[in-house]
Amino acid sequence: MVVRLSRYRLLTLLCGVLAALTLTGPAVAAPVSTTTTTTVDRPSAAAGWLARQLVDGERFETVFDGVAYPDQGLTLDAVLAFAAAGVADDSGARALAWVSRPDVRDGYLGDGVTEAYAGATAKLALAVQVRGADPTSVGGVDLIARLRGLQAPSGRFTDRSAWGDYSNTFSQSFALLALARTPAGVPADAAGYLAGVRCADGGFPVVPEQPVCASDVDATALAVQALKAAGRSAEAGAGLRWLVSVQGTDGGFRNSGGVANANSTGLAAQALAAGGRTLAWARARGFLASLQVCCTGAPADRGAVDYDGGTFDPATATRATAQAVLGLAGVGYAQLTAAGAVPGAPELVCP
């Protein structure tokens, strides 16, 4: 059981931002918030639907081998989505409080001694910062110090675990985004490491230092934002140009399997908006809007964003919606803030 749980935490860390992940649907409970509003704003409607899917109004869960596990990574995606849409602030507060609980937090980050995961540490630190709290004091843990302690001499942020190092481009990018918000800023060698793993075509791979460098939409979208936050505009610009070059005629972005989907498009759209590629962002936003369940859909599904536009699948809709909100809102991770967000889970207004 210890082995399975440790591997599961790594799976969650690595796949929390991957677009192609297909999961068994999370359990759903009635929302805690009693605030009900209606909206015609697409990001707000999507975030409102997402808030109503939280288990006990505070978390997401994933079924793995028939067992329900807490999904801290997806829960943090929701926290960031609520901030991007500027709604469900009460849900965002409860969700972050849940992830920050010592037992839940350590099950995600590791205990900091025998296990410590760079990507999870950075992602939680970023969410704490987005919500205006102090990442150096999260339940008695200094996330920034722990993150810096995971930086290798090469500049790469690595995992410390008996199961090996599963760090990747997502880990590195989230680390840069979190550290960019600190007084000390991003270490030059950390930014240099990420810039150095860029493929010849301008994109970025999921896993660096491989014999063949294969650019990936999701990894590139995150790396572009991280490099821009670190002041590496040339490398960020190359990544943006690669993203534009692989955008589909429908405005969508495809995963490594060739499927245009909300997850990849949501991340790419966010990067394009933050990088000033307005027309490409507008096209990506249009694709995301085409996947959103509107008034012709079942009332319980309205506002959600489907993964690929086929038959609505709740097993993938929560993650798809969380990442689509960022693209619909067009707010980059570096600029994201929950300041001014309002409580409540808005519902899509229909005749």
Side-chain angles (χ1 to χ4, degrees), residues 65-132:
D65 279 354
V67 180
Y69 293 99
D71 194 332
Q72 296 95 326
L74 178 55
T75 303
L76 291 178
D77 284 337
V79 170
L80 299 174
F82 299 150
V87 299
D89 190 57
D90 47 346
S91 297
R94 287 192 300 272
L96 185 60
W98 174 77
V99 178
S100 300
R101 271 175 34 192
D103 58 327
V104 178
R105 179 200 64 210
D106 291 353
Y108 181 50
L109 309 183
D111 60 12
V113 180
T114 59
E115 288 184 297
Y117 304 116
T121 303
K123 191 172 183 179
L124 177 55
L126 178 64
V128 169
Q129 292 165 323
V130 166
R131 289 204 52 82

Side-chain angles (χ1 to χ4, degrees), residues 217 251-254 260-270 284 287-288 327:
V217 169
F253 287 83
R254 285 158 174 74
N261 63 88
N263 301 68
S264 297
T265 304
L267 290 171
Q270 180 195 27
F287 177 80
L288 292 171

Side-chain angles (χ1 to χ4, degrees), residues 269-280:
Q270 180 195 27
L272 292 168
R277 270 48 172 192
T278 307
L279 293 179

Side-chain angles (χ1 to χ4, degrees), residues 245-340:
S245 75
V246 298
Q247 186 174 23
T249 56
D250 57 2
F253 287 83
R254 285 158 174 74
N255 60 20
S256 58
V259 178
N261 63 88
N263 301 68
S264 297
T265 304
L267 290 171
Q270 180 195 27
L272 292 168
R277 270 48 172 192
T278 307
L279 293 179
W281 168 65
R283 293 177 58 226
R285 191 179 191 275
F287 177 80
L288 292 171
S290 74
L291 300 181
Q292 190 166 24
V293 180
C294 294
C295 294
T296 56
D301 301 335
R302 291 173 184 170
V305 179
D306 187 57
Y307 174 69
D308 58 5
T311 302
F312 182 77
D313 184 1
T316 57
T318 47
R319 198 177 304 276
T321 301
Q323 293 176 353
V325 168
L326 302 169
L328 288 168
V331 182
Y333 281 124
Q335 296 78 38
L336 196 57
T337 176

Side-chain angles (χ1 to χ4, degrees), residues 154-180:
S154 65
R156 179 174 179 168
F157 290 91
T158 59
D159 298 333
R160 182 166 60 244
S161 166
W163 315 112
D165 178 14
Y166 289 80
S167 63
N168 55 22
T169 300
F170 299 110
S171 309
Q172 193 76 12
S173 298
F174 273 123
L176 266 61
L177 286 163
L179 293 175

